[in-house]
Amino acid sequence: MTRRLLEIEGLNISFGHYSVVRDVSLALAPSEKLAIIGESGSGKSVTAMSILRLLDHSATATGEIRFDGKNILSLSAKEMKDIRGRRIAMIFQDPMTSLNPVFTIFRQLSDVLQAHAIETPEGRRAHLAGLLAQVGIRDPDHCLSLYPHQLSGGMRQRVMIALAIACDPDILIADEPTTALDVTVQVQITRLLISLCEQRGLGLIFISHNLDLVGEFADRIAVMQNGECVEQGTAEQVMGNPQAPYTRRLLAAIPRLSAVAAAAPAETGRVVLETWQASKSYPRARSGLARLFDKSTTNALTPTDLKIREGEVIGIVGESGSGKSTLARLLIGLDRPTTGSVMLEGHELSLGSRKDRIRLSAIMQLVFQGSQTSLNPRKTIRRALIEAGRAAGNAVSASPEDLMRQVKLDPALLDRFPHQLSGGQRQRIGIARALSTKPAILIADEPTSALDVSIQKEIIELLKTLHREMGMTMVVISHDLGLIGTMCDRVAVMQAGRIVEQGPAGQILSAPQNEYTRTLIDAVPQGIKGRGRYAARTGPQAELSTP
């Protein structure tokens, strides 16, 4: 019989009278990779946090979580302190909020070792540098002296992994470790976790909402819905022959490159928005005083030409830092180009006065990436929609009720605040706010980032319906090639601040000419068809290096 690191039997968790996890039973063996799949609210993160007893005092957990011959739910606080981090470690979903912004990476890693009396103070720096090198950071000594905001998203996630494995645990719990990361960085982080799992013999619990991603590497998959485990089995069983209707719905909701939009019509439409040799540079120095002495700049966007025709849906794709959002800010007028110009309907975009901005907002609107931060937490949804229409000088703006119906939301939600809505509902509110001025051009910046796959599908269908019914010109910015392929007529691929390839979606995504485009496409998760990606590359440390 295979030895088991962890056994969960009949786990029930409730907050007051509200039950969030019901009769969940799972097991984990050494070196095994167990994936827990489900949408937000399915209970997967609560189940994982109960293993480390991280739930607040209002939570009641019953059943058994057996580790090292003991029931974790009955251990004392002192016993749990010896387990957390030392025997069972967790990588939390958002590294930026998990890392302390005022402490260096060395301080935060060193505190973990000190808490468990590992290494002497003199030997910690060398030990931590070796740890960062193991997770694929090229210059670990330099990284130790940096603060979290000075690292990229991929590097922050690697630091979080280093924190988790610092004490050489037996079990590693990764809660959505690749959410909102670029597809290439997603592959690197996943490959790193699998390599650590096999090299150290630790058991991995990987929490995600993307079945195609976990299907590439997981030994077993457990699918959770509304607090219950509706299906579990080997990856081949769950992905190849799903039994639960919910599992089949999750698989069907994943935007895939196989669903690339039909060939784009001939480019004969009127050009409504274009950039002419537009570039953007930012000063390296942050403060005004420092800029007197340091005149150096960083090029976020090299001279770029892009034409957007009336009624088309164009996708702009690329990794973080490729210049996608910078280009969007130039198109919408939030930034001025350093050189070149942006042309709207044949005239150079001018934002010299408030009147110019009001006129522009009536023509063009932006759906922001973060639905939580783009809405004012102190204003109701009704007030946000009314003020958006008034700010654009739109006297005949649609009523809030009509806008809610347009984005398939119940008008009864109008008197709620943003925190009282789900992520998908907030994203729809962001779209409704953009529609309040009846724009001719809609720019959507990462409209489905970090959303569950089923919610992603709803947002994609909503945008497609709006385009079909209103005839709007759309610019969709994303690192998700499946989303771009599903929605867009034409695609522009960006790398390091420049467009490296553009053309019809079917042509670019099925027969790319540029090596970078091929790299992005190859990194898209393929479910059980992509298992060879990790089976062939889990050994060499060279594979763990950052790009």
Side-chain angles (χ1 to χ4, degrees):
M1 181 179 176
T2 305
R3 182 173 73 89
R4 293 183 171 180
L5 281 175
L6 185 75
E7 288 183 283
I8 300 175
E9 285 191 7
L11 178 65
N12 293 276
I13 302 172
S14 59
F15 291 88
H17 298 293
Y18 184 64
S19 177
V20 295
V21 171
R22 292 178 292 281
D23 198 28
V24 168
S25 296
L26 300 168
L28 181 71
S31 297
E32 184 178 32
K33 299 173 283 292
L34 169 67
I36 303 179
I37 292 292
E39 298 173 289
S40 298
S42 63
K44 55 188 189 300
S45 293
V46 172
T47 299
M49 292 178 73
S50 69
I51 296 172
L52 285 171
R53 294 255 302 273
L54 292 176
L55 301 176
D56 63 36
H57 296 298
S58 65
T60 301
T62 60
E64 287 195 353
I65 303 176
R66 289 194 295 274
F67 173 70
D68 203 18
K70 301 175 183 177
N71 181 10
I72 284 177
L73 297 180
S74 61
L75 296 181
S76 66
K78 183 179 183 304
E79 290 173 311
M80 281 306 303
K81 184 179 178 180
D82 293 334
I83 289 177
R84 290 193 195 104
R86 186 70 182 259
R87 304 292 306 280
I88 304 176
M90 189 165 184
I91 303 167
F92 294 95
Q93 182 171 349
D94 185 356
M96 196 58 184
T97 56
S98 301
L99 293 170
N100 194 319
V102 300
F103 291 150
T104 63
I105 301 304
F106 172 75
R107 167 72 183 273
Q108 299 186 59
L109 285 167
S110 182
D111 284 349
V112 173
L113 298 183
Q114 184 177 351
H116 295 283
I118 297 175
E119 276 291 350
T120 62
E122 297 77 19
R124 280 179 191 152
R125 191 170 190 91
H127 179 81
L128 294 176
L131 200 62
L132 291 181
Q134 187 178 3
V135 298
I137 292 178
R138 284 179 177 163
D139 191 353
D141 286 312
H142 177 62
C143 180
L144 286 171
S145 64
L146 299 178
Y147 291 87
H149 72 275
Q150 296 175 302
L151 304 178
S152 68
M155 287 184 70
R156 283 195 293 267
Q157 195 62 280
R158 289 171 186 266
V159 169
M160 286 298 299
I161 294 171
L163 275 168
I165 66 171
C167 300
D168 198 16
D170 300 306
I171 296 173
L172 184 61
I173 303 171
D175 188 4
E176 299 275 11
T178 62
T179 295
L181 292 179
D182 302 324
V183 285
T184 51
V185 179
Q186 178 176 271
V187 170
Q188 295 165 17
I189 296 300
T190 305
R191 184 174 292 150
L192 170 59
L193 290 172
I194 296 168
S195 179
L196 291 170
C197 182
E198 297 185 354
Q199 291 171 12
R200 294 177 172 236
L202 56 83
L204 175 66
I205 299 177
F206 193 101
I207 298 169
S208 180
H209 60 250
N210 192 331
L211 266 171
D212 268 359
L213 170 63
V214 302
E216 291 190 323
F217 67 86
D219 298 312
R220 289 189 303 113
I221 297 175
V223 183
M224 293 191 68
Q225 179 188 23
N226 298 328
E228 298 179 353
C229 187
V230 296
E231 184 168 4
Q232 63 175 302
T234 65
E236 290 80 2
Q237 290 171 344
V238 174
M239 296 286 295
N241 186 28
Q243 301 300 305
Y246 177 69
T247 308
R248 291 195 289 269
R249 287 201 302 273
L250 285 181
L251 283 167
I254 301 171
R256 293 188 172 95
L257 290 179
S258 57
V260 171
E267 296 183 5
T268 57
R270 179 173 62 97
V271 175
V272 293
L273 186 63
E274 65 178 311
T275 62
W276 181 79
Q277 290 292 290
S279 71
K280 184 63 182 178
S281 299
Y282 295 99
R284 290 181 184 272
R286 291 177 180 268
S287 70
L289 181 62
R291 290 177 191 175
L292 292 175
F293 305 97
D294 185 357
K295 302 294 184 181
S296 61
T297 60
T298 299
N299 292 325
L301 186 70
T302 58
T304 299
D305 291 331
L306 179 68
K307 292 184 178 182
I308 301 168
R309 299 180 183 276
E310 186 176 24
E312 80 169 339
V313 181
I314 180 171
I316 301 177
V317 67
E319 298 175 289
S320 297
S322 63
K324 307 186 303 294
S325 294
T326 299
L327 178 57
R329 291 177 66 85
L330 297 185
L331 292 175
I332 198 70
L334 290 176
D335 270 338
R336 296 176 184 272
T338 305
T339 63
S341 59
V342 178
M343 310 290 288
L344 176 62
E345 297 183 338
H347 302 283
E348 186 168 355
L349 194 63
S350 175
L351 299 172
S353 65
R354 184 173 181 272
K355 193 174 181 179
D356 290 334
R357 293 185 178 277
I358 290 174
R359 188 182 302 114
L360 176 64
S361 64
I363 300 172
M364 186 162 43
Q365 281 287 327
L366 175 67
V367 178
F368 293 92
Q369 178 176 352
S371 60
Q372 177 71 50
T373 54
S374 64
L375 295 170
N376 192 321
R378 297 177 180 273
K379 295 180 180 179
T380 63
I381 304 307
R382 183 188 302 277
R383 185 177 171 188
L385 295 180
I386 291 173
E387 288 186 355
R390 287 177 180 170
N394 195 335
V396 292
S397 175
S399 69
E401 289 78 11
D402 287 342
L403 289 170
M404 294 290 278
R405 283 188 281 267
Q406 204 168 5
V407 296
K408 308 297 187 292
L409 283 179
D410 187 348
L413 299 175
L414 280 168
D415 294 315
R416 294 191 183 183
F417 291 89
H419 72 274
Q420 296 175 305
L421 304 179
S422 69
Q425 288 173 328
R426 284 195 299 268
Q427 193 63 285
R428 287 171 182 264
I429 295 299
I431 296 171
R433 182 177 60 182
L435 295 177
S436 64
T437 66
K438 301 180 181 178
I441 303 171
L442 185 70
I443 300 176
D445 188 4
E446 299 281 8
T448 63
S449 178
L451 294 178
D452 298 325
V453 286
S454 57
I455 305 299
Q456 286 182 25
K457 185 176 182 180
E458 292 175 5
I459 298 299
I460 292 170
E461 290 302 321
L462 171 61
L463 290 172
K464 289 167 72 174
T465 300
L466 291 171
H467 172 255
R468 186 171 58 250
E469 294 178 351
M470 302 176 66
M472 283 190 302
T473 302
M474 284 191 183
V475 181
V476 181
I477 298 167
S478 181
H479 62 254
D480 187 339
L481 287 174
L483 163 67
I484 294 295
T486 302
M487 284 195 64
C488 300
D489 307 314
R490 200 156 54 88
V491 177
V493 182
M494 296 194 68
Q495 179 190 24
R498 65 190 182 95
I499 295 176
V500 296
E501 187 170 7
Q502 62 177 305
Q507 174 186 313
I508 297 295
L509 299 180
S510 61
Q513 301 301 305
N514 185 272
E515 182 61 31
Y516 176 70
T517 309
R518 287 194 287 270
T519 300
L520 290 180
I521 292 173
D522 290 343
V524 175
Q526 301 174 33
I528 54 177
K529 294 179 182 177
R531 292 183 76 83
R533 185 204 309 269
Y534 299 106
R537 295 186 178 184
T538 52
Q541 283 297 311
E543 293 294 339
L544 303 181
S545 61
T546 53

